[in-house]
Amino acid sequence: MKVLIVGGVAGGASAAARIRRLDENAQVIMFERSGYISYANCGLPYYVGGAIKDAAALTLQSPEGFAVRFRVDVRVRSEVTSIEVQNKKVTVRERDGGRVYEESYDKLLLSPGARPTRPNMQGVEDDRVFTLRTVEDTLAIRKFVEEKKPKSATVIGGGFIGVEMAENLAGLGLQVTVAEYADHLLAPLDFDMACLVHARMECAGVRLSLKTAVTGFVREGDKVITETADGRKISSDLVLLSIGVTPDTSLAREAGIALGIKGSIVVNSRMETSVPDVYAVGDAVEIQHFVTGRRALVSLAGPANKQGRIAADNICGGNSEYKGAQGSSVIKLFDMTVASTGINETAAKAAGIACDSVVLAPMSHASYYPGGKVMTMKVVYEKGSERLLGAQIVGYDGTDKRIDVLATAIRAGMRASELSELDLAYAPPYSSAKDPVNMAGFMIENIVTGKVKQFNFEEEEALPRDGSVFLLDTRTPEEYAGGAAEGFVNIPLDELRERLDEIPQGKPVYVMCQSGLRSYLACRILSQRGYDCYNFSGGYRFYAAIRYGKRLSETAFPCGMDG
């Protein structure tokens, strides 16, 4: 059997290695148009920022090492330019020297990946406007930073790469501006959770310009002027375009292979395309989202590796199936960690799923053990069925652990309230006896069983301030003096039973505290005395972050840093 693989990195390289493990006699040829067959895409920003010192560390396998270990014929700087599916052969052009030749196949695997989206606008080809996708891109940016010593940078786009590059460039001492078209950074997060990210980035000196449409770039000496639809001009020494990726599927399109979302390659669960004996994996393919069941694009290394393995199994006569991705991700943000899995509340509602969510702010480990920090968790579930839909966490130590537990629970089909039953490891330096994931389950169980009702930021904004409802803040007087939501009256939780006469009967009572725990306890006290009580989801700390984030999304450079 002769197998050709077009493209390396996560999908193609993992498939090649798996094919060799399954079939020692197969002839495997891998074509890669760059000079690197397997490299750490996710590590590229950290080489620019200097956290990764040696460029060689980015290369997971050299072409020579891969060839020796797996006996794969690795041909780097070789670009497949066409596929003849009827004759089962491809045309290859060597980028060094230009030699063109044909190669036949029994099985063909496409792993072309995706290319950075580069819009058709003025100045986009300027040599100070960069994209970041390959090792070559990384080396070019690092060289520019070392030689030109820029003092400022504009990052266009607030996705994973954009945020990571903003952090790393800021760490080098550059004044960084992030211009994002949406109202918040990091699309897997809901707006409310993203507000915590916004606050951390601004605290680190990164300027945020949200709801900003970039229209073009103009070179003025050593400066690049980023022009926006509202007439503003952002001046910087370099620009990084990070507005997403586009499946690199021109080869498949010209070969007559069926395409789907954004021109991605349509595959079935066996990673087979519409053409016999042609498979496809990675960022170029359209897959099924595990949570929604809908077709989706998930451009992450984990799914690409799994798809490569499954395609290899089937190429070698097996019967493996890819059951979909749920988009689990984690990102470092200065000293903070941001993670998500599944779909967020916004996406669930857009998909027509009746959903609810809980927001909690537990400590990363036992509060009496030194060093614990607050993490903010949001868990989204389907009403009625309690099917877990997704989770988002913004925190510090232990964030990755909790998102992985929640990702596993989603994959296992657990009901949301069953999170309370998980038997998770506990020692004071690592967790609490009631782990944050357990706490989310307890909260959901309370809501499902009617022990508590809750309200959120949007509902708080809409509450009447005419006396028809009673607004209660159960924090200490010192906390209350530091800031409170409009119209909320302060009665500390520990004084509540003695001051019930201050709360009128017959009116709905909306309660807030710092994190949501004391207000929940207050609601239990009040509801058992006949009050119609609602607990604010996430507490005042979360409320204040959203309120600030909403102002930020409406005002570019709110601190007067424009220009």
Side-chain angles (χ1 to χ4, degrees):
M1 177 175 65
K2 182 177 181 181
V3 183
L4 304 186
I5 299 176
V6 181
V9 199
S14 63
R18 177 70 170 172
I19 290 169
R20 177 57 70 229
R21 292 195 296 271
L22 295 175
D23 187 345
E24 186 66 17
N25 297 313
Q27 181 185 1
V28 183
I29 304 174
M30 182 191 300
F31 302 101
E32 170 58 48
R33 62 185 163 202
S34 75
Y36 304 86
I37 61 159
S38 183
Y39 57 87
N41 296 72
C42 300
L44 301 182
Y46 300 101
Y47 177 70
V48 174
I52 298 174
K53 304 295 185 185
D54 186 0
L58 297 171
T59 305
L60 304 178
Q61 272 279 12
S62 69
E64 297 78 15
F66 196 85
V68 168
R69 174 157 297 178
F70 297 106
R71 296 301 191 268
V72 170
D73 183 353
V74 179
R75 304 179 187 179
V76 295
R77 298 193 59 77
S78 294
E79 183 173 9
V80 174
T81 58
S82 66
I83 305 169
E84 293 184 37
V85 295
Q86 293 83 8
N87 299 321
K88 299 183 77 169
K89 63 181 181 181
V90 302
T91 301
V92 184
R93 180 179 64 85
E94 294 179 349
R95 300 186 68 185
D96 297 329
R99 183 173 76 97
V100 176
Y101 63 95
E102 294 182 341
E103 198 74 58
S104 63
Y105 66 85
D106 297 310
K107 305 285 185 180
L108 175 65
L109 174 66
L110 302 178
S111 180
R115 61 184 184 278
T117 303
R118 208 172 180 100
N120 183 21
M121 60 175 61
Q122 177 186 356
V124 75
E125 299 299 333
D126 190 282
D127 60 8
R128 288 187 176 231
V129 178
F130 296 90
T131 58
L132 180 60
R133 186 66 177 175
T134 67
V135 173
E136 288 90 344
D137 294 336
T138 309
L139 298 177
I141 297 172
R142 177 71 175 263
K143 181 180 180 182
F144 180 88
V145 169
E146 289 176 343
E147 293 182 355
K148 302 298 183 181
K149 302 190 182 331
K151 292 183 169 49
S152 59
T154 301
V155 176
I156 314 299
F160 292 117
I161 293 296
V163 168
E164 287 173 340
M165 281 298 294
E167 175 196 354
N168 279 278
L169 291 171
L172 292 174
L174 278 70
Q175 175 60 69
V176 180
T177 299
V178 178
E180 167 57 47
Y181 183 76
D183 64 358
H184 70 278
L185 306 179
L186 298 177
L189 302 183
D190 285 312
F191 175 82
D192 50 9
M193 294 293 287
C195 289
L196 301 169
V197 171
H198 300 164
R200 182 65 189 90
M201 293 196 74
E202 289 219 305
C203 181
V206 176
R207 303 172 178 178
L208 300 183
S209 184
L210 304 175
K211 292 184 177 178
T212 297
V214 172
T215 57
F217 308 97
V218 175
R219 183 71 170 269
E220 293 185 359
D222 289 338
K223 297 288 186 181
V224 178
I225 310 301
T226 300
E227 299 182 329
T228 68
D230 59 5
R232 288 183 299 113
K233 300 179 186 296
I234 307 170
S235 175
S236 60
D237 297 321
L238 73 91
V239 170
L240 179 78
L241 271 179
S242 181
I243 58 175
V245 294
T246 302
D248 193 356
T249 57
S250 58
L251 194 63
R253 182 180 63 251
E254 292 166 4
I257 295 171
L259 303 181
I261 301 170
K262 293 184 178 180
S264 59
I265 301 171
V266 174
V267 294
N268 60 19
S269 62
R270 290 170 49 84
M271 308 313 297
E272 295 169 324
T273 71
S274 61
V275 172
D277 296 321
V278 179
Y279 299 73
V281 300
D283 293 356
V285 306
E286 172 191 278
I287 53 92
Q288 178 175 292
H289 196 285
F290 183 80
V291 175
T292 65
R294 297 182 175 185
R295 305 303 290 178
L297 297 178
V298 178
S299 299
L300 295 169
N305 272 285
K306 295 179 184 71
Q307 292 160 18
R309 178 185 176 92
I310 287 167
D313 285 353
N314 295 321
I315 285 171
C316 294
N319 189 27
S320 294
E321 287 190 284
Y322 185 66
K323 298 180 180 179
Q326 61 201 65
S328 300
S329 64
V330 64
I331 181 174
K332 174 185 173 295
L333 182 66
F334 298 100
D335 59 343
M336 186 179 274
T337 301
V338 182
S340 67
T341 186
I343 59 174
N344 60 30
E345 190 171 17
T346 305
K349 290 177 179 177
I353 301 173
C355 66
D356 205 347
S357 66
V358 293
V359 177
L360 59 158
M363 295 291 285
S364 57
H365 59 244
S367 58
Y368 58 83
Y369 187 87
K373 293 185 178 181
V374 172
M375 65 173 65
T376 303
M377 301 174 58
K378 182 174 185 177
V379 180
V380 184
Y381 62 96
E382 185 175 33
K383 291 181 179 178
S385 71
E386 290 186 49
R387 177 169 66 107
L388 281 167
L389 301 175
Q392 304 152 59
I393 309 178
V394 179
Y396 301 87
D397 292 343
T399 294
D400 54 339
K401 168 185 173 180
R402 274 60 184 225
I403 206 68
D404 282 344
V405 172
L406 288 161
T408 303
I410 291 173
R411 182 65 58 157
M414 291 180 63
R415 289 186 296 110
S417 60
E418 290 178 327
L419 296 175
S420 64
E421 301 173 13
L422 289 174
D423 191 350
L424 302 173
Y426 158 61
Y430 302 104
S431 184
S432 299
K434 296 177 181 177
D435 188 85
V437 175
N438 295 138
M439 293 299 298
F442 295 143
M443 292 174 65
I444 292 167
E445 181 183 32
N446 286 336
I447 292 170
V448 170
T449 58
K451 292 183 179 66
V452 69
K453 293 182 285 188
Q454 62 179 6
F455 68 110
N456 58 31
F457 184 86
E458 291 76 17
E459 292 167 317
E460 186 278 336
E461 284 191 308
L463 288 174
R465 263 66 177 185
D466 59 1
S468 58
V469 299
F470 189 80
L471 308 178
L472 174 63
D473 188 316
T474 60
R475 295 176 296 159
T476 65
E478 292 77 16
E479 290 173 310
Y480 182 79
E486 179 189 353
F488 278 70
V489 176
N490 183 222
I491 302 177
L493 173 66
D494 293 340
E495 301 175 15
L496 182 60
R497 292 180 178 88
E498 290 71 39
R499 297 174 62 179
L500 288 174
D501 58 338
E502 299 177 36
I503 304 175
Q505 290 278 359
K507 293 182 180 180
V509 181
Y510 292 84
V511 192
M512 188 180 293
C513 73
Q514 191 71 3
S515 69
L517 175 58
R518 283 172 287 175
S519 51
Y520 160 66
L521 297 174
C523 277
R524 291 304 301 148
I525 293 170
L526 293 170
S527 63
Q528 291 178 76
R529 286 165 170 79
Y531 288 92
D532 182 20
C533 194
Y534 299 82
N535 182 30
F536 183 78
S537 179
Y540 179 78
R541 173 180 167 274
F542 192 53
Y543 167 85
I546 303 170
R547 185 176 62 179
Y548 170 77
K550 190 171 182 181
R551 289 202 305 267
L552 174 63
S553 72
E554 294 169 353
T555 308
F557 305 139
C559 301
M561 298 184 291
D562 199 351

